[in-house]
């Protein structure tokens, strides 16, 4: 089985681009990835592309071949839809294909256009990641679902809105120097606590913004990298995926995410590492409480212990194990279908040393955790850099 | 995607709409497998253990709020309902998600009864909880 290297990565700026099409966003991200990789487009054997709400936001299905065209490929292309984990799944399937010898060169990525729908339209579109009969009909929105989990967490383990605010402050702080991030401005705990309520106990600053953007990565086999003399020091050494019941009401736990626990365990085993070996993580903080659930699912903390990690300075930029050095979904932005691959892009840059926060990375092993819906689907990837 | 904007009739969802009918007439039920796992229709398989012999079992009179949130930013189909409280409740055999009506005094552990009402925005039927 061959190893899988990240030959090149690319992002668009994440933010408000309501007048730019998804295809234009992905064309830009993939152009950057090819330039970074130094790989000929003609060598790409397949595109795996993540997108969630294209039918609603752009009246566009069948995005695989469309995006291949935008990227300048003639290769076959498939769209992966797994809500907010869409392009995490696209990465996982690409890793499998390279390992299996199905392909030596894959393009993976994703794009999402959201701002053209407005807040109400985006709220409606995101809600379809929840169970329509049992949840959406009962008024559940995406923030409401995480609010239900946040209250369940507080009830079971304790913790406060201040603890959550510390996470938002940390992630905004991490995004200050990230040119691709939606918010490059600092906030305070007071700002977060005083912000309007969206779904209590979550306020505006507990939530990621509505974001347009695209991400892309060129993955190659070890052999291809060697034959072509590529400078590709980062490898994806572990992949895992987990699932859970769609509706919260059918979950065993309301304040834990077993789908992510299973994905992490699988990815760690695959890479031959344990959680103690991980020195940096990009996790799916679509809401501040989601970062708490993520660091516990990744087994950095026991259930109930992750809530104070940011406040204690353990996951901050100068902490022992920084989390979301990119700014996370909270400050970098969350163009849903692009997010999973964007985490791999950011982790690659962090590990190989060309990210503005690379100096804060305390080791050689990072993980990327991408969650769909209320964590009914999750992927976890382990990335390692040659030193 | 089903219509939520009032432009057309919602297509009936067999199983789930039967369930709403039953709750409306005070005869709410859930599906129970031989292992005692509860879930809501429509289902042919227990989501917890895979058993296929599911039996309609009467829901208890009351349940308990397990977690809840007051939603201030709704989807368009709930625009006129906001703010409203959505809750996940434990009715012994099964958990249900619905809207808490006619009270400000919601907390975890609050005892509630189950009912069906219409949303203010779209006149869609919705499961509601009323504090006992
Ligand atoms: Zn069962």
């Amino acid at each position: 089985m061959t190893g899988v290297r990240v030959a090149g990565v690319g992002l668009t700026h994440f933010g408000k681009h309501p007048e730019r099409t998804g295809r234009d966003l992905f064309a830009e991200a993939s152009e950057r990835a090819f330039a970074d990789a130094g790989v000929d487009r003609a060598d790409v054997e397949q595109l795996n592309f993540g997108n969630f709400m294209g039918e609603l936001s752009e009246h566009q299905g069948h995005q695989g071949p469309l995006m291949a065209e935008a990227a300048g490929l003639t290769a076959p292309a498939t769209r992966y839809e797994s809500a907010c984990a869409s392009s995490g799944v696209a990465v996982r399937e690409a890793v499998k294909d390279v390992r299996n010898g199905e392909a030596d060169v894959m393009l993976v990525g994703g794009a999402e256009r959201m701002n053209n729908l407005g807040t109400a339209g985006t709220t409606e579109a995101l809600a379809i990641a929840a169970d329509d009969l049992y949840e959406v009909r009962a008024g559940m929105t995406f923030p409401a679902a995480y609010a239900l989990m946040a209250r369940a967490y507080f009830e079971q383990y304790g913790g406060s809105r201040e603890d959550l605010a510390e996470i938002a402050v940390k992630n905004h702080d991490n995004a200050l120097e990230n040119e691709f991030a939606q918010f490059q401005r600092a906030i305070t705990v007071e700002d977060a606590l005083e912000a309007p309520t969206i779904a209590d106990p979550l306020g505006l600053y507990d939530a990621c913004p509505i974001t347009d953007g695209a991400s892309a990565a060129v993955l190659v086999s070890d052999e291809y990298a060697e034959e072509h003399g590529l400078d590709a020091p980062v490898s994806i050494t572990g992949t895992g995926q987990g699932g859970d019941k769609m509706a919260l009401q059918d979950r065993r736990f309301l304040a834990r995410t077993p789908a992510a626990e299973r994905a992490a365990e699988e990815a760690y085993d695959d890479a031959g590492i344990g959680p103690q070996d991980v020195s940096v993580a990009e996790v799916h903080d679509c809401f501040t409480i989601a970062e708490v659930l993520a660091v516990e699912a990744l087994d950095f903390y026991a259930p109930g212990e992750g809530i104070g990690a940011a406040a204690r300075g353990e996951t901050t930029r100068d902490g022992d194990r920084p989390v979301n050095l990119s700014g996370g979904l909270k400050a970098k932005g969350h163009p849903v279908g692009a997010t999973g691959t964007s985490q791999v892009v950011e982790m690659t840059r962090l590990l190989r040393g060309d990210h503005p926060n690379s100096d804060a990375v305390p080791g050689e092993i990072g993980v990327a955790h991408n969650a769909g819906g209320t964590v009914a689907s999750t992927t976890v990837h382990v990335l390692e850099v040659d030193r | 995607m089903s219509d939520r904007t009032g432009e057309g009739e919602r297509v009936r969802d067999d199983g789930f709409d039967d369930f709403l009918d039953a709750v409306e007439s005070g005869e709410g039920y859930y599906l129970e497998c031989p292992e005692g796992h509860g879930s809501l229709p429509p289902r042919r398989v227990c989501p917890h253990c895979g058993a296929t012999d599911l039996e309609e079992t009467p829901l208890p009179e009351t349940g308990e709020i397990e977690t809840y949130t007051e939603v201030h930013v709704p989807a368009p189909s709930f625009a006129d309902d906001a703010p409203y409280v959505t809750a996940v409740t434990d009715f012994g055999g099964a958990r249900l998600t619905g809207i808490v009506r006619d009270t400000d005094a919601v907390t975890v552990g609050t005892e509630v009864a189950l009912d069906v009402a219409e949303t203010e925005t779209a006149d869609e039927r919705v499961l509601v909880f009323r504090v006992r």
Side-chain angles (χ1 to χ4, degrees):
Chain A
M1 193 176 74
T2 183
V4 181
R5 291 192 172 266
V6 186
V9 294
L11 297 174
T12 64
H13 176 258
F14 280 13
K16 291 189 177 183
H17 307 287
E19 291 164 8
R20 289 185 63 187
T21 58
R23 70 183 91 187
D24 182 50
L25 292 166
F26 187 64
E28 182 187 341
S30 57
E31 189 168 24
R32 289 215 170 100
F34 282 116
D36 184 38
V39 166
D40 189 341
R41 282 175 169 82
D43 286 355
V44 174
E45 288 152 286
Q46 196 174 309
L47 165 64
N48 286 6
F49 182 79
N51 172 265
F52 173 53
M53 57 170 72
E55 287 84 354
L56 300 177
S57 66
E58 295 199 282
H59 198 249
Q60 186 66 66
H62 204 189
Q63 293 197 4
L66 183 77
M67 295 303 175
E69 205 178 307
L73 308 178
T74 51
T78 304
R79 168 179 165 188
Y80 288 85
E81 191 275 299
S82 207
C84 320
S86 294
S87 65
V89 176
V91 169
R92 173 169 162 79
E93 295 305 316
V95 167
K96 286 191 206 169
D97 278 342
V98 173
R99 283 179 171 179
N100 290 340
E102 295 283 337
D104 279 308
V105 185
M106 299 274 300
L107 181 65
V108 297
E112 205 75 63
R113 186 181 181 193
M114 300 169 70
N115 276 290
N116 57 327
L117 287 172
T119 300
T122 304
T123 302
E124 175 103 335
L126 288 171
I128 68 171
D131 187 310
D132 184 62
L133 286 184
Y134 307 142
E135 298 186 312
V136 181
R137 278 200 194 190
M140 198 184 288
T141 61
F142 196 43
Y146 275 90
L148 292 169
M149 292 195 283
R151 186 170 324 269
Y153 188 100
F154 288 171
E155 280 289 319
Q156 189 167 355
Y157 302 117
S160 67
R161 289 199 61 213
E162 283 80 358
D163 292 322
L164 296 181
E166 295 275 5
I167 294 167
V169 169
K170 165 180 78 73
N171 291 349
H172 272 258
D173 199 46
N174 287 342
L176 288 175
E177 304 298 324
N178 185 354
E179 62 176 305
F180 299 106
Q182 186 158 1
F183 297 133
Q184 288 181 263
R185 74 187 150 78
I187 62 165
T188 64
V189 168
E190 290 69 34
D191 292 335
L193 294 176
E194 287 163 13
T197 301
I198 294 182
D200 77 315
L202 302 181
L204 186 62
Y205 283 19
D206 289 299
C208 62
I210 295 170
T211 313
D212 309 308
S215 58
V218 179
L219 305 187
V220 301
S221 64
D222 279 344
E223 292 74 20
Y224 183 95
E226 195 172 338
E227 278 169 28
H228 292 77
L230 300 183
D231 177 23
V234 174
S235 295
I236 301 179
T237 58
T239 178
Q241 184 172 359
D244 203 347
K245 305 287 181 285
M246 184 79 162
L248 287 176
Q249 66 188 26
D250 292 319
R251 303 262 177 92
R252 187 164 164 223
F253 302 106
L254 293 176
R256 280 175 65 178
T257 54
E261 292 170 19
R262 286 188 284 269
E265 201 178 328
E266 187 183 1
Y268 292 152
D269 284 351
D270 190 27
I273 64 157
Q276 71 284 351
D277 300 316
V278 176
S279 55
V280 59
E282 286 289 310
V283 309
H284 197 96
D285 60 325
C286 49
F287 297 91
T288 46
I289 186 66
E291 180 166 314
V292 178
L293 299 172
V295 296
E296 293 179 3
L298 290 166
D299 204 14
F300 301 160
Y301 295 91
E305 302 291 321
I307 183 82
R312 292 191 298 266
E314 294 159 8
T315 52
T316 51
R317 200 160 50 207
D318 51 1
D320 288 343
R321 186 192 273 131
V323 172
N324 284 331
L325 282 172
S326 68
L329 284 52
K330 175 70 197 83
K332 184 189 65 180
H334 182 26
V336 181
T339 291
T341 302
S342 81
Q343 294 173 316
V344 169
V345 170
E346 295 282 26
M347 184 56 72
T348 298
R349 298 169 64 220
L350 283 163
L351 289 172
R352 71 188 187 184
D354 59 322
H355 192 284
N357 283 332
S358 283
D359 287 349
V361 176
E364 286 80 46
I365 301 179
V367 297
H369 157 284
N370 183 206
T374 49
V375 203
S377 39
T378 316
T379 60
V380 172
H381 286 99
V382 178
L383 284 79
E384 303 187 43
V385 64
D386 303 337
R387 284 280 158 82
Chain B
M1 189 177 159
S2 58
D3 177 70
R4 286 294 157 63
T5 57
E7 289 164 18
E9 283 294 294
R10 172 195 278 285
V11 174
R12 189 184 156 79
D13 288 311
D14 251 4
F16 190 74
D17 275 308
D18 295 341
F19 164 73
L20 291 180
D21 291 345
V23 173
E24 244 171 347
S25 55
E27 292 169 355
Y29 58 84
Y30 65 99
L31 302 178
E32 189 178 33
C33 80
E35 300 286 317
H37 304 131
S39 59
L40 297 187
R43 286 187 199 276
R44 291 162 193 249
V45 181
C46 172
H48 304 287
C49 70
T52 53
D53 42 345
L54 305 181
E55 201 162 325
E56 289 184 9
T57 306
L59 275 167
E61 289 284 301
T62 59
E64 243 183 40
I65 289 182
E66 210 170 332
T67 185
Y68 67 94
T69 179
E70 187 173 70
V71 180
H72 292 259
V73 181
S77 53
F78 281 83
D80 300 336
D81 293 76
Y84 56 90
V85 174
T86 290
V88 176
T89 58
D90 184 351
F91 268 71
R95 283 213 198 103
L96 294 96
T97 308
I99 290 183
V100 186
R101 281 275 173 91
D102 311 325
T103 182
D104 296 327
V106 181
T107 183
V108 171
T110 298
E111 203 181 341
V112 293
L114 184 62
D115 198 0
V116 170
E118 293 196 332
T119 62
E120 292 187 23
T121 314
D123 294 333
E124 292 271 8
R125 289 200 297 175
V126 61
L127 278 178
V128 298
F129 303 118
R130 301 193 193 277
V131 175
R132 292 297 293 249

